Amino acid sequence: MREETLFEIGSLSREPLRVKGFRFGTPNATPSCVIVGPMMGNAIDQLWIASRLVRFLRQQELSNAGFVKGEILIVPTVNPYSFNMGKAFWPLDNTDIDVMFPGYNQGETTQRIAARLFEHTNNYDYAILLEARKDHSECIPYVKVLQSNAQYVEEARDFGLDFIHLKEVTPSDTVSINYNWDIWNAKSFSILSGKKGTLRKMESAKVIDAIIRFLSKKGLIDYTVFEGSHGNIVSTEDIAIVKSNSAGLFDSLVVVGDTVLHGQPMARIYNALDGTLMQTIVSPCDGVITCRYDYPLMFQNAVAFRIAQVSTKNNPHD
């Protein structure tokens, strides 16, 4: 393992921003994979996952010099400033680094961070982003593949997670690191999991296992793994979005990963002052809850649940 500073950006008021990388295997060897940790400073699960992967690879490499067959680069976090200050986005102007790609070296600070990061990560065979959802929700671990990279969706099954979201490309996606990795012909994936601001070891362990499984199946490490799920492919039209009609105290009756049936009560919303029942949220379909609102105060028209419905794309005989 080689720890290195990939780049640093000076600051007038504090220590320079230093983005660290941990490199395993032989430089410029193939196959190669880069794993980039969180860009938001409250994505604790993703930081934990990245650090545990560094620990795992270091321990395995110490006991077996030939453990890594290609080259692996892990960047545990791109935004240590925000982690230090407990902020979600870049603390000086509250901007999201992951809407600045491919970046601009002469631009604003987050544009320069994006440009420098992209410069160091755009030439790998595989690229994985550890991503937290930006809305008020907790979610089960799943793989996200952009429609622009749809030809690689079958390879996403090598992670062994239950769900693969084949996501339509929106204007905001075109300035993300995943989309720009795709342009440079990397096989690019995002793994989303957990709940911002918390550490959920059980869900994180599933993601760690999934990435180790992927690295093994792609010939990047010499390691025997258990098989995972075949992976259900869901697209945007397969996901039912359930919103609240009322604001109030949110009492969920189900958790992410639960299977629900059409008409099943999933949550109740109570008046925050007098306890009156304002709404019972019921499932509009059969499916699996992939995301759930994660805040005890519900806002009117907020997304309470996302439910993955069964799709014929998941039937291998179709």
Side-chain angles (χ1 to χ4, degrees), residues 229-255:
S229 170
H230 180 61
N232 297 282
I233 300 171
V234 294
S235 55
T236 303
E237 60 265 27
D238 301 320
I239 300 173
I241 297 177
V242 184
K243 295 185 177 182
S244 65
N245 295 329
S246 306
L249 291 166
F250 180 63
D251 179 24
S252 180
L253 306 176
V254 293
V255 298

Side-chain angles (χ1 to χ4, degrees), residues 300-313:
Q300 189 174 22
N301 295 322
V303 175
F305 299 96
R306 286 181 170 84
I307 303 172
Q309 306 172 83
V310 175
S311 167
T312 58
K313 292 189 295 294

Side-chain angles (χ1 to χ4, degrees), residues 83-98:
F83 274 108
N84 291 340
M85 299 179 69
K87 302 291 185 181
F89 299 124
W90 184 247
L92 302 183
D93 59 7
N94 202 37
T95 54
D96 182 2
I97 296 173
D98 198 26

